[in-house]
Amino acid sequence: MPRMRFAMSATTALEILSTEPFELVFLDHDLSFMDAGFPERLHGNGKEVARYLARTNFAGHVVIHSHSDQAATMAKILPQATVCRYGDFDVTTAQSAAAR
């Protein structure tokens, strides 16, 4: 079974993405309180991770799930991504589905 990883900062996300292969990435814009308060920032948020994925020609699927208006900006960076606002879907694994 593939291992799930998560990052709570752009720095950690970039470290993980640069060292491990992924088929699917869920990407939010607001990774800290600064992102919600200062959405025009270019670094330390989901936009920075989106630019990395675009620059490295990420071959997997990206789901942008964000309440932030910056989701549209990230979608321009990653036009192949699926945009699904956070809270509009549930993520389950085969293991959690079997437990139901």
Side-chain angles (χ1 to χ4, degrees), residues 6-62:
F6 71 94
M8 296 179 66
S9 71
T11 301
T12 302
L14 296 174
E15 288 172 5
I16 293 170
L17 288 167
S18 68
T19 59
E20 299 179 35
F22 289 90
E23 295 177 13
L24 176 64
V25 172
F26 287 89
L27 181 58
D28 193 355
H29 176 266
D30 296 348
L31 302 178
S32 76
F33 72 94
M34 292 290 291
D35 303 327
F38 303 95
E40 68 283 351
R41 289 173 3 120
L42 297 177
H43 300 285
N45 54 39
K47 288 190 297 268
E48 181 175 6
V49 180
R51 286 192 306 275
Y52 172 83
L53 293 170
R55 186 173 58 252
T56 60
N57 296 314
F58 179 69
H61 189 77
V62 178

Side-chain angles (χ1 to χ4, degrees), residues 1 14 24 63 68 76 82:
M1 174 180 285
L14 296 174
L24 176 64
V63 177
S68 172
K76 288 179 184 175
T82 299

Side-chain angles (χ1 to χ4, degrees), residues 62-92:
V62 178
V63 177
I64 298 170
H65 64 94
S66 185
H67 277 301
S68 172
D69 293 337
Q70 294 300 308
T73 301
M74 292 190 302
K76 288 179 184 175
I77 297 168
L78 294 168
Q80 74 279 18
T82 299
V83 178
C84 186
R85 289 183 64 84
Y86 184 80
D88 289 351
F89 63 95
D90 291 323
V91 176
T92 59

